[in-house]
């Protein structure tokens, strides 16, 4: 299984981001306890850790962004095959004691993600498949917006075993392709809409989509699209936090 096992927000204002997501999603935020680094942990209201928060280094290229971690057996071996397949290494492999070995890479189309061989044998609950049970505060959908969906699908199929399992027509954008990791529906793959930008788009579960949309605005974020109804009767929206990082929310309308 190669579902996402961790998520991480790189931001220009860690304090403001912490306050925003605590208000919007209800996450608990605590210090990781790592020596020499301000790395904070996002946890669901029930206390399950789903991701991390850290300040982007001053002067670093790019902009605030959510990143995902994909599990591999051997980070160095996977790095070599990813590079052979057109990906790039943004941060070479390193080992963090008690956590695991990891590296920051891109797929051939330039979207960044981490690969990681975790030391913890316990399965991650950062991602919970949408519709399989209570999931407030967890990621329930992983969406890859790609300039070349066919190439993206082939890449993740080769390296992580994902497959295309059905979808929905989207007119000129082609098919909204559902991505499966074995029996688990982990998200979707789509082309870049007009005015959109490629990359990963992670959706967090909330208990009430309209109340959450109001909290986004009240906390200084921006709802860019939605809420719109999705299969199964819930609603989704796409938003940006006050520092500009893109994220999504999924939940019922009560």
């Amino acid at each position: 299984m190669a579902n996402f096992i961790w998520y991480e927000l790189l931001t220009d204002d860690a304090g403001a981001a912490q306050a925003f997501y605590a208000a919007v999603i209800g996450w608990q935020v605590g210090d990781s306890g790592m020596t020499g680094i301000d790395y904070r942990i996002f946890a669901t209201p029930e206390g399950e850790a789903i991701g991390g928060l850290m300040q982007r280094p001053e002067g670093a290229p790019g902009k605030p962004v959510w990143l995902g971690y994909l599990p591999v057996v051997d980070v160095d071996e996977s790095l070599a095959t990813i590079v052979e397949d057109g990906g790039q290494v943004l941060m070479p492999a390193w080992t963090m004691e008690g956590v695991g070995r990891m590296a920051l890479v891109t797929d051939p189309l330039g979207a960044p993600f981490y690969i990681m061989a975790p030391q913890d044998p316990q399965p991650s609950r950062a991602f919970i498949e949408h519709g399989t049970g209570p999931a407030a505060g967890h990621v329930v959908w992983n969406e890859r917006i790609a300039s070349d969906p066919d190439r993206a699908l082939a890449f993740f199929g080769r390296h992580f075993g994902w497959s295309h399992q059905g979808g929905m027509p989207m007119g000129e954008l082609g098919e909204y392709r559902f991505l499966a990791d074995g029996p688990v529906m982990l998200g979707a793959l789509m082309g870049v809409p007009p005015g959109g930008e490629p990359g990963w788009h992670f959706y967090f579960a909330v208990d009430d989509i309209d109340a959450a949309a109001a909290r986004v605005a009240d906390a200084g974020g921006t709802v860019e699209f939605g809420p719109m109804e999705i299969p199964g009767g819930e609603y989704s929206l796409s938003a940006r936090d006050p520092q500009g990082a893109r994220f999504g929310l999924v939940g019922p309308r009560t």
Side-chain angles (χ1 to χ4, degrees), residues 2 71-72 78 80-87 108 113 153-162:
V72 297
S78 294
T81 59
I82 286 171
V83 171
E84 287 174 3
D85 205 11
F113 65 98
L153 178 62
F155 174 84
F156 286 101
R158 280 192 294 271
H159 297 279
F160 301 100
W162 297 352

PDB file of all heavy atoms in Angstrom, residues 2 71-72 78 80-87 108 113 153-162:
ATOM      1  N   ALA A   2       0.537   2.212  -0.818  1.00  0.00           N
ATOM      2  CA  ALA A   2       1.344   3.434  -0.910  1.00  0.00           C
ATOM      3  C   ALA A   2       0.459   4.664  -0.808  1.00  0.00           C
ATOM      4  O   ALA A   2       0.522   5.566  -1.629  1.00  0.00           O
ATOM      5  CB  ALA A   2       2.140   3.443  -2.213  1.00  0.00           C
ATOM      6  N   PRO A  71       5.154   6.484   1.237  1.00  0.00           N
ATOM      7  CA  PRO A  71       6.056   5.491   1.825  1.00  0.00           C
ATOM      8  C   PRO A  71       6.780   4.672   0.757  1.00  0.00           C
ATOM      9  O   PRO A  71       6.205   4.310  -0.275  1.00  0.00           O
ATOM     10  CB  PRO A  71       5.110   4.607   2.632  1.00  0.00           C
ATOM     11  CG  PRO A  71       3.820   4.655   1.857  1.00  0.00           C
ATOM     12  CD  PRO A  71       3.740   6.055   1.299  1.00  0.00           C
ATOM     13  N   VAL A  72       8.046   4.387   1.026  1.00  0.00           N
ATOM     14  CA  VAL A  72       8.843   3.496   0.183  1.00  0.00           C
ATOM     15  C   VAL A  72       9.627   2.559   1.099  1.00  0.00           C
ATOM     16  O   VAL A  72       9.802   2.829   2.282  1.00  0.00           O
ATOM     17  CB  VAL A  72       9.813   4.270  -0.744  1.00  0.00           C
ATOM     18  CG1 VAL A  72       9.050   5.149  -1.723  1.00  0.00           C
ATOM     19  CG2 VAL A  72      10.799   5.103   0.066  1.00  0.00           C
ATOM     20  N   SER A  78      14.654   4.201  -4.358  1.00  0.00           N
ATOM     21  CA  SER A  78      13.534   4.904  -4.984  1.00  0.00           C
ATOM     22  C   SER A  78      13.981   6.218  -5.612  1.00  0.00           C
ATOM     23  O   SER A  78      13.488   6.603  -6.684  1.00  0.00           O
ATOM     24  CB  SER A  78      12.434   5.169  -3.945  1.00  0.00           C
ATOM     25  OG  SER A  78      11.865   3.968  -3.494  1.00  0.00           O
ATOM     26  N   ALA A  80      16.802   6.874  -7.004  1.00  0.00           N
ATOM     27  CA  ALA A  80      17.458   6.573  -8.278  1.00  0.00           C
ATOM     28  C   ALA A  80      16.443   6.299  -9.377  1.00  0.00           C
ATOM     29  O   ALA A  80      16.576   6.802 -10.500  1.00  0.00           O
ATOM     30  CB  ALA A  80      18.397   5.387  -8.106  1.00  0.00           C
ATOM     31  N   THR A  81      15.403   5.524  -9.071  1.00  0.00           N
ATOM     32  CA  THR A  81      14.427   5.197 -10.106  1.00  0.00           C
ATOM     33  C   THR A  81      13.558   6.396 -10.459  1.00  0.00           C
ATOM     34  O   THR A  81      13.161   6.562 -11.623  1.00  0.00           O
ATOM     35  CB  THR A  81      13.540   4.024  -9.658  1.00  0.00           C
ATOM     36  OG1 THR A  81      12.852   4.369  -8.444  1.00  0.00           O
ATOM     37  CG2 THR A  81      14.375   2.774  -9.413  1.00  0.00           C
ATOM     38  N   ILE A  82      13.278   7.254  -9.481  1.00  0.00           N
ATOM     39  CA  ILE A  82      12.496   8.464  -9.765  1.00  0.00           C
ATOM     40  C   ILE A  82      13.265   9.395 -10.692  1.00  0.00           C
ATOM     41  O   ILE A  82      12.711   9.962 -11.642  1.00  0.00           O
ATOM     42  CB  ILE A  82      12.104   9.158  -8.446  1.00  0.00           C
ATOM     43  CG1 ILE A  82      10.991   8.372  -7.754  1.00  0.00           C
ATOM     44  CG2 ILE A  82      11.679  10.604  -8.681  1.00  0.00           C
ATOM     45  CD1 ILE A  82      10.670   8.830  -6.353  1.00  0.00           C
ATOM     46  N   VAL A  83      14.565   9.574 -10.427  1.00  0.00           N
ATOM     47  CA  VAL A  83      15.392  10.426 -11.292  1.00  0.00           C
ATOM     48  C   VAL A  83      15.491   9.829 -12.692  1.00  0.00           C
ATOM     49  O   VAL A  83      15.400  10.554 -13.692  1.00  0.00           O
ATOM     50  CB  VAL A  83      16.787  10.625 -10.669  1.00  0.00           C
ATOM     51  CG1 VAL A  83      17.726  11.308 -11.648  1.00  0.00           C
ATOM     52  CG2 VAL A  83      16.685  11.447  -9.385  1.00  0.00           C
ATOM     53  N   GLU A  84      15.658   8.527 -12.785  1.00  0.00           N
ATOM     54  CA  GLU A  84      15.709   7.873 -14.100  1.00  0.00           C
ATOM     55  C   GLU A  84      14.420   8.098 -14.885  1.00  0.00           C
ATOM     56  O   GLU A  84      14.426   8.120 -16.122  1.00  0.00           O
ATOM     57  CB  GLU A  84      15.936   6.372 -13.918  1.00  0.00           C
ATOM     58  CG  GLU A  84      17.339   6.001 -13.479  1.00  0.00           C
ATOM     59  CD  GLU A  84      17.455   4.513 -13.164  1.00  0.00           C
ATOM     60  OE1 GLU A  84      16.448   3.779 -13.354  1.00  0.00           O
ATOM     61  OE2 GLU A  84      18.536   4.090 -12.723  1.00  0.00           O
ATOM     62  N   ASP A  85      13.323   8.269 -14.173  1.00  0.00           N
ATOM     63  CA  ASP A  85      12.017   8.422 -14.805  1.00  0.00           C
ATOM     64  C   ASP A  85      11.641   9.888 -15.012  1.00  0.00           C
ATOM     65  O   ASP A  85      10.488  10.197 -15.312  1.00  0.00           O
ATOM     66  CB  ASP A  85      10.962   7.725 -13.943  1.00  0.00           C
ATOM     67  CG  ASP A  85       9.743   7.302 -14.736  1.00  0.00           C
ATOM     68  OD1 ASP A  85       9.773   7.353 -15.980  1.00  0.00           O
ATOM     69  OD2 ASP A  85       8.741   6.910 -14.106  1.00  0.00           O
ATOM     70  N   GLY A  86      12.583  10.811 -14.842  1.00  0.00           N
ATOM     71  CA  GLY A  86      12.319  12.212 -15.133  1.00  0.00           C
ATOM     72  C   GLY A  86      12.039  13.082 -13.930  1.00  0.00           C
ATOM     73  O   GLY A  86      11.825  14.290 -14.079  1.00  0.00           O
ATOM     74  N   GLY A  87      12.027  12.510 -12.722  1.00  0.00           N
ATOM     75  CA  GLY A  87      11.830  13.317 -11.528  1.00  0.00           C
ATOM     76  C   GLY A  87      13.115  14.026 -11.130  1.00  0.00           C
ATOM     77  O   GLY A  87      14.186  13.788 -11.695  1.00  0.00           O
ATOM     78  N   PRO A 108       7.908  13.857 -12.771  1.00  0.00           N
ATOM     79  CA  PRO A 108       8.464  14.418 -14.015  1.00  0.00           C
ATOM     80  C   PRO A 108       7.843  15.744 -14.445  1.00  0.00           C
ATOM     81  O   PRO A 108       8.423  16.468 -15.258  1.00  0.00           O
ATOM     82  CB  PRO A 108       8.176  13.321 -15.043  1.00  0.00           C
ATOM     83  CG  PRO A 108       8.086  12.070 -14.263  1.00  0.00           C
ATOM     84  CD  PRO A 108       7.433  12.472 -12.972  1.00  0.00           C
ATOM     85  N   PHE A 113       6.952  16.237  -3.701  1.00  0.00           N
ATOM     86  CA  PHE A 113       6.423  15.371  -2.651  1.00  0.00           C
ATOM     87  C   PHE A 113       7.603  14.703  -1.959  1.00  0.00           C
ATOM     88  O   PHE A 113       8.714  14.649  -2.492  1.00  0.00           O
ATOM     89  CB  PHE A 113       5.451  14.324  -3.212  1.00  0.00           C
ATOM     90  CG  PHE A 113       6.071  13.320  -4.158  1.00  0.00           C
ATOM     91  CD1 PHE A 113       6.457  12.058  -3.721  1.00  0.00           C
ATOM     92  CD2 PHE A 113       6.250  13.627  -5.507  1.00  0.00           C
ATOM     93  CE1 PHE A 113       7.019  11.135  -4.594  1.00  0.00           C
ATOM     94  CE2 PHE A 113       6.804  12.717  -6.383  1.00  0.00           C
ATOM     95  CZ  PHE A 113       7.191  11.457  -5.929  1.00  0.00           C
ATOM     96  N   LEU A 153      -0.133   9.832 -14.371  1.00  0.00           N
ATOM     97  CA  LEU A 153      -0.701   8.536 -14.032  1.00  0.00           C
ATOM     98  C   LEU A 153       0.315   7.416 -14.240  1.00  0.00           C
ATOM     99  O   LEU A 153       0.466   6.529 -13.389  1.00  0.00           O
ATOM    100  CB  LEU A 153      -1.952   8.278 -14.871  1.00  0.00           C
ATOM    101  CG  LEU A 153      -2.632   6.928 -14.664  1.00  0.00           C
ATOM    102  CD1 LEU A 153      -3.131   6.785 -13.232  1.00  0.00           C
ATOM    103  CD2 LEU A 153      -3.789   6.763 -15.648  1.00  0.00           C
ATOM    104  N   ALA A 154       1.030   7.466 -15.345  1.00  0.00           N
ATOM    105  CA  ALA A 154       2.028   6.443 -15.626  1.00  0.00           C
ATOM    106  C   ALA A 154       3.133   6.451 -14.573  1.00  0.00           C
ATOM    107  O   ALA A 154       3.590   5.394 -14.115  1.00  0.00           O
ATOM    108  CB  ALA A 154       2.614   6.649 -17.023  1.00  0.00           C
ATOM    109  N   PHE A 155       3.571   7.631 -14.177  1.00  0.00           N
ATOM    110  CA  PHE A 155       4.641   7.747 -13.187  1.00  0.00           C
ATOM    111  C   PHE A 155       4.229   7.150 -11.849  1.00  0.00           C
ATOM    112  O   PHE A 155       4.946   6.317 -11.274  1.00  0.00           O
ATOM    113  CB  PHE A 155       5.024   9.219 -13.013  1.00  0.00           C
ATOM    114  CG  PHE A 155       6.019   9.475 -11.906  1.00  0.00           C
ATOM    115  CD1 PHE A 155       7.379   9.327 -12.130  1.00  0.00           C
ATOM    116  CD2 PHE A 155       5.593   9.860 -10.641  1.00  0.00           C
ATOM    117  CE1 PHE A 155       8.297   9.554 -11.106  1.00  0.00           C
ATOM    118  CE2 PHE A 155       6.496  10.085  -9.612  1.00  0.00           C
ATOM    119  CZ  PHE A 155       7.859   9.931  -9.850  1.00  0.00           C
ATOM    120  N   PHE A 156       3.090   7.564 -11.332  1.00  0.00           N
ATOM    121  CA  PHE A 156       2.677   7.079 -10.018  1.00  0.00           C
ATOM    122  C   PHE A 156       2.251   5.613 -10.077  1.00  0.00           C
ATOM    123  O   PHE A 156       2.352   4.893  -9.082  1.00  0.00           O
ATOM    124  CB  PHE A 156       1.583   7.971  -9.439  1.00  0.00           C
ATOM    125  CG  PHE A 156       2.111   9.296  -8.968  1.00  0.00           C
ATOM    126  CD1 PHE A 156       1.969  10.449  -9.744  1.00  0.00           C
ATOM    127  CD2 PHE A 156       2.798   9.391  -7.771  1.00  0.00           C
ATOM    128  CE1 PHE A 156       2.480  11.663  -9.311  1.00  0.00           C
ATOM    129  CE2 PHE A 156       3.318  10.601  -7.327  1.00  0.00           C
ATOM    130  CZ  PHE A 156       3.166  11.738  -8.103  1.00  0.00           C
ATOM    131  N   GLY A 157       1.812   5.168 -11.234  1.00  0.00           N
ATOM    132  CA  GLY A 157       1.537   3.745 -11.375  1.00  0.00           C
ATOM    133  C   GLY A 157       2.804   2.917 -11.296  1.00  0.00           C
ATOM    134  O   GLY A 157       2.849   1.886 -10.612  1.00  0.00           O
ATOM    135  N   ARG A 158       3.866   3.379 -11.969  1.00  0.00           N
ATOM    136  CA  ARG A 158       5.130   2.628 -11.956  1.00  0.00           C
ATOM    137  C   ARG A 158       5.772   2.603 -10.580  1.00  0.00           C
ATOM    138  O   ARG A 158       6.283   1.564 -10.137  1.00  0.00           O
ATOM    139  CB  ARG A 158       6.105   3.245 -12.960  1.00  0.00           C
ATOM    140  CG  ARG A 158       5.874   2.853 -14.396  1.00  0.00           C
ATOM    141  CD  ARG A 158       7.039   3.268 -15.281  1.00  0.00           C
ATOM    142  NE  ARG A 158       7.193   4.712 -15.378  1.00  0.00           N
ATOM    143  CZ  ARG A 158       6.592   5.475 -16.282  1.00  0.00           C
ATOM    144  NH1 ARG A 158       5.774   4.919 -17.174  1.00  0.00           N
ATOM    145  NH2 ARG A 158       6.790   6.779 -16.323  1.00  0.00           N
ATOM    146  N   HIS A 159       5.782   3.738  -9.896  1.00  0.00           N
ATOM    147  CA  HIS A 159       6.552   3.844  -8.660  1.00  0.00           C
ATOM    148  C   HIS A 159       5.766   3.527  -7.395  1.00  0.00           C
ATOM    149  O   HIS A 159       6.369   3.142  -6.384  1.00  0.00           O
ATOM    150  CB  HIS A 159       7.171   5.242  -8.559  1.00  0.00           C
ATOM    151  CG  HIS A 159       8.143   5.537  -9.650  1.00  0.00           C
ATOM    152  ND1 HIS A 159       9.444   5.089  -9.625  1.00  0.00           N
ATOM    153  CD2 HIS A 159       7.991   6.188 -10.835  1.00  0.00           C
ATOM    154  CE1 HIS A 159      10.062   5.470 -10.729  1.00  0.00           C
ATOM    155  NE2 HIS A 159       9.202   6.140 -11.481  1.00  0.00           N
ATOM    156  N   PHE A 160       4.441   3.673  -7.446  1.00  0.00           N
ATOM    157  CA  PHE A 160       3.650   3.473  -6.233  1.00  0.00           C
ATOM    158  C   PHE A 160       2.472   2.524  -6.415  1.00  0.00           C
ATOM    159  O   PHE A 160       1.733   2.274  -5.465  1.00  0.00           O
ATOM    160  CB  PHE A 160       3.173   4.829  -5.699  1.00  0.00           C
ATOM    161  CG  PHE A 160       4.315   5.755  -5.375  1.00  0.00           C
ATOM    162  CD1 PHE A 160       4.698   6.755  -6.260  1.00  0.00           C
ATOM    163  CD2 PHE A 160       5.049   5.594  -4.196  1.00  0.00           C
ATOM    164  CE1 PHE A 160       5.777   7.589  -5.978  1.00  0.00           C
ATOM    165  CE2 PHE A 160       6.123   6.415  -3.895  1.00  0.00           C
ATOM    166  CZ  PHE A 160       6.492   7.409  -4.793  1.00  0.00           C
ATOM    167  N   GLY A 161       2.309   2.008  -7.609  1.00  0.00           N
ATOM    168  CA  GLY A 161       1.282   1.007  -7.845  1.00  0.00           C
ATOM    169  C   GLY A 161      -0.134   1.531  -7.975  1.00  0.00           C
ATOM    170  O   GLY A 161      -1.096   0.758  -7.943  1.00  0.00           O
ATOM    171  N   TRP A 162      -0.292   2.840  -8.144  1.00  0.00           N
ATOM    172  CA  TRP A 162      -1.631   3.398  -8.262  1.00  0.00           C
ATOM    173  C   TRP A 162      -2.242   3.062  -9.619  1.00  0.00           C
ATOM    174  O   TRP A 162      -1.539   2.866 -10.617  1.00  0.00           O
ATOM    175  CB  TRP A 162      -1.596   4.915  -8.106  1.00  0.00           C
ATOM    176  CG  TRP A 162      -1.115   5.381  -6.773  1.00  0.00           C
ATOM    177  CD1 TRP A 162      -0.856   4.617  -5.657  1.00  0.00           C
ATOM    178  CD2 TRP A 162      -0.833   6.731  -6.391  1.00  0.00           C
ATOM    179  NE1 TRP A 162      -0.435   5.399  -4.621  1.00  0.00           N
ATOM    180  CE2 TRP A 162      -0.402   6.704  -5.035  1.00  0.00           C
ATOM    181  CE3 TRP A 162      -0.894   7.947  -7.056  1.00  0.00           C
ATOM    182  CZ2 TRP A 162      -0.040   7.861  -4.351  1.00  0.00           C
ATOM    183  CZ3 TRP A 162      -0.531   9.106  -6.374  1.00  0.00           C
ATOM    184  CH2 TRP A 162      -0.112   9.061  -5.035  1.00  0.00           C
TER     185      TRP A 162
END
